[in-house]
Amino acid sequence: MIKVQGMAGQRVAVLGLGRSGLSAARALSAGGAEVLAWDDNPPARDAATAAGLTVTDLTRAGAFEDVARLIVSPGIPHLYPSPNKVIAAAQEAGVPVDNDIGLFFRSLATPDWNGFDQPPKVIAVTGSNGKSTTSALIHHVLTEAGKPAQLAGNIGRGVLDIDPPGDGGVVVLELSSYQTDLARALTPDVAVFTNLSPDHLDRHAGLGGYFAAKRRLFAEGGPDRAVIGVDEDEGRYLAGQLSEAPGDDRVIRVSVARKLSGPGWMVFANKGFLSEYRKGKQVASIDLRAVPGLPGRHNHQNACAAYAACRTLGLAPRVIEAAFHSFAGLPHRSQTVAERDGVRIVNDSKATNVDAALQALLAFDNIRWICGGLEKDGGLAGLKPGLDHVRKAYVIGREAAQFALGLEGVEVEICTTMARAVEAALTEAAPGDVVLLAPAAASFDQYDNFEQRGEDFIAEVRARL
């Protein structure tokens, strides 16, 4: 556990008692703070009481008298589309609002570090798509290279639940826009921006607010190194804002759209080959086509970002390449579930938006595509470049018929349920086909989360093999 520093003897309120909220409450208590915990959900309050926390109704008048800070779980809106009433009350009372990420960064360093040969480092990864895979891949490479590393944040353990890192330790954090938007301290040693596509627009009042939340990771703390995907305007802008000169190698530009050139530090993938350039000269190359756990252009982007982050820590290219080959990938992200009679079955339930689904479509040919769910803002037009890879679409979700209208030029079957879609796709699949779940939509119309949707897909597949 990372004990929260600087709040001993103070009253600190915690709103939201899920994984991050409970973790923050425990870490605050361990650091000597008096914790006042609250959740609108009675079972969550009961669980907190059973865990020994003091549950206090933060919705009552005067709840924030003598409270030093309010810690908020990431799923609770603090500004858009409208502030939660408890957060609004804290702001009205002048109480600072923070989250577990802010507590982590203010509490990580301890006097013990003075005796270390190599102070611990933090690599923080954000972006729209690929955060989880990039974070897990960095952690895998570091572990395979013999470095003590921990994975936390939006993946793995809660940030305050990890062990205090020792001499030379590395903490790899996946951070969502919900987490970066509110944290009062953001000071990673290496910060990674994978890409940007429209997502969570209601929470951030549009694409500009969404990008601004991501940008805080780089602007607030000033990382020693920044790895920036530059295939979108926002990434190019961010790289330019962080660079002092064209050859400033504190910024590493990453691309899978084109060969990068110039005097700076570049990592890009072209036709399946990763290349690293520094000062206009090639330093290393890796054939990503032979890496089974990283199929497709989107995973090549993840590989470039992870490679660049690991290079900032001094790892050799061949060490990174060897670790790439033993990376198994993550569940629900281009996950091969089975192969039968020449048919490959892939679970990419994490493809919850159009851009992520497009990358999945571009990674395979002859696709029997299971898609649909709670459609996000912006429509489905962005899928068009990948639709010629699709032999047929099997649409699920409560609004399957409406979703299907956005798939022009593709043979479509309205299935509604996962069971019916899997049955139809497997029945019609021929050798060389790929049965792919890449919904291009949120899961909440039928499932609690994308993981549950992916598990249902896997269960339906296995029931028929």
Side-chain angles (χ1 to χ4, degrees):
M1 176 189 292
I2 304 294
K3 297 180 181 179
V4 173
Q5 300 183 47
M7 293 188 179
Q10 299 182 32
R11 303 179 80 206
V12 180
V14 175
L15 177 62
L17 300 176
R19 186 188 72 161
S20 67
L22 288 175
S23 173
R26 290 191 295 265
L28 283 160
S29 296
E34 178 187 352
V35 176
L36 309 178
W38 181 252
D39 193 296
D40 290 336
N41 186 6
R45 297 198 297 267
D46 293 341
T49 300
L53 296 174
T54 300
V55 173
T56 301
D57 186 357
L58 297 178
T59 66
R60 62 178 174 79
F64 286 96
E65 292 180 9
D66 299 324
V67 170
R69 189 160 300 201
L70 172 64
I71 307 303
V72 177
S73 293
I76 302 173
H78 60 275
L79 185 57
Y80 303 112
S82 63
N84 176 278
K85 61 183 178 181
V86 172
I87 298 175
Q91 292 170 336
E92 182 68 24
V95 174
V97 180
D98 203 349
N99 62 14
D100 61 332
I101 304 302
L103 295 179
F104 168 84
F105 278 111
R106 69 175 287 158
S107 305
L108 182 63
T110 67
D112 293 341
W113 289 25
N114 295 328
F116 291 166
D117 291 332
Q118 296 181 24
K121 291 186 179 294
V122 177
I123 301 175
V125 181
T126 195
S128 295
N129 299 309
K131 298 186 298 297
S132 296
T133 297
T134 300
S135 301
L137 183 56
I138 294 170
H139 177 260
H140 176 77
V141 172
L142 294 172
T143 301
E144 290 293 295
K147 290 189 174 291
Q150 299 181 78
L151 180 64
N154 208 40
I155 185 176
R157 301 163 70 186
V159 291
L160 295 169
D161 283 335
I162 67 170
D163 301 323
D167 197 339
V170 183
V171 178
V172 184
L173 300 181
E174 179 198 338
L175 298 180
S176 72
S177 60
Y178 293 0
Q179 294 168 308
T180 58
D181 197 18
L182 194 58
R184 295 176 68 87
L186 286 167
T187 53
D189 298 279
V190 182
V192 180
F193 177 85
T194 58
N195 50 58
L196 194 85
S197 61
D199 208 355
H200 308 305
L201 300 188
D202 59 337
R203 178 68 179 264
H204 299 291
L207 186 61
Y210 177 52
F211 174 56
K214 301 288 190 184
R215 183 178 178 272
R216 291 191 74 247
L217 181 63
F218 303 84
E220 294 297 311
D224 295 334
R225 300 278 188 182
V227 177
I228 309 292
V230 295
D231 288 339
E232 295 88 29
D233 290 339
E234 291 84 358
R236 289 188 288 274
Y237 168 82
L238 181 58
Q241 288 282 298
L242 296 172
S243 300
E244 292 294 336
D248 187 351
D249 67 0
R250 294 174 304 169
V251 177
I252 307 175
R253 290 168 170 81
V254 167
S255 176
V256 289
R258 64 194 187 282
K259 177 180 178 180
L260 300 176
S261 60
W265 195 347
M266 320 284 183
V267 178
F268 58 89
N270 182 37
K271 297 181 179 179
F273 285 87
L274 180 154
S275 297
E276 177 188 3
Y277 276 71
R278 298 188 73 172
K279 298 180 180 179
K281 296 182 179 179
Q282 186 169 3
V283 175
S285 177
I286 297 175
D287 184 356
L288 296 175
R289 299 171 302 173
V291 180
L294 296 168
R297 174 173 150 166
H298 59 308
N299 276 311
H300 293 175
Q301 183 180 57
N302 300 333
C304 287
Y307 174 94
C310 292
R311 288 288 282 146
T312 69
L313 300 186
L315 270 64
R318 292 304 165 221
V319 171
I320 300 172
E321 180 179 11
F324 278 3
H325 280 273
S326 61
F327 181 65
L330 291 176
H332 315 298
R333 298 161 178 87
S334 298
Q335 175 193 13
T336 297
V337 174
E339 294 192 34
R340 184 189 71 172
D341 300 331
V343 176
R344 183 177 179 182
I345 303 166
V346 178
N347 167 28
D348 203 345
S349 183
K350 184 61 172 67
T352 60
N353 58 43
V354 165
D355 187 68
L358 173 62
Q359 300 308 318
L361 294 179
L362 293 174
F364 304 103
D365 293 314
N366 303 320
I367 298 170
R368 301 280 175 177
W369 179 31
I370 299 175
C371 57
L374 192 62
E375 188 176 339
K376 295 186 175 181
D377 293 341
L380 304 178
L383 293 167
K384 187 175 181 179
L387 294 183
D388 59 354
H389 292 234
V390 177
R391 297 192 66 179
K392 184 176 178 179
Y394 307 82
V395 185
I396 63 174
R398 295 178 184 171
E399 304 296 331
Q402 181 64 36
F403 191 96
L405 293 176
L407 304 178
E408 296 183 12
V410 176
E411 182 183 355
V412 172
E413 181 175 336
I414 307 299
C415 295
T416 308
T417 67
M418 184 69 75
R420 183 176 172 185
V422 170
E423 178 70 29
L426 289 179
T427 298
E428 297 177 4
D433 286 355
V434 174
V435 174
L436 171 68
L437 171 65
S443 59
F444 305 124
D445 60 331
Q446 292 181 307
Y447 302 95
D448 290 340
N449 48 54
F450 73 84
E451 292 97 338
Q452 188 182 80
R453 177 173 58 191
E455 291 299 332
D456 189 27
F457 172 72
I458 293 171
E460 294 292 347
V461 168
R462 289 178 175 167
R464 291 164 174 77
L465 294 184

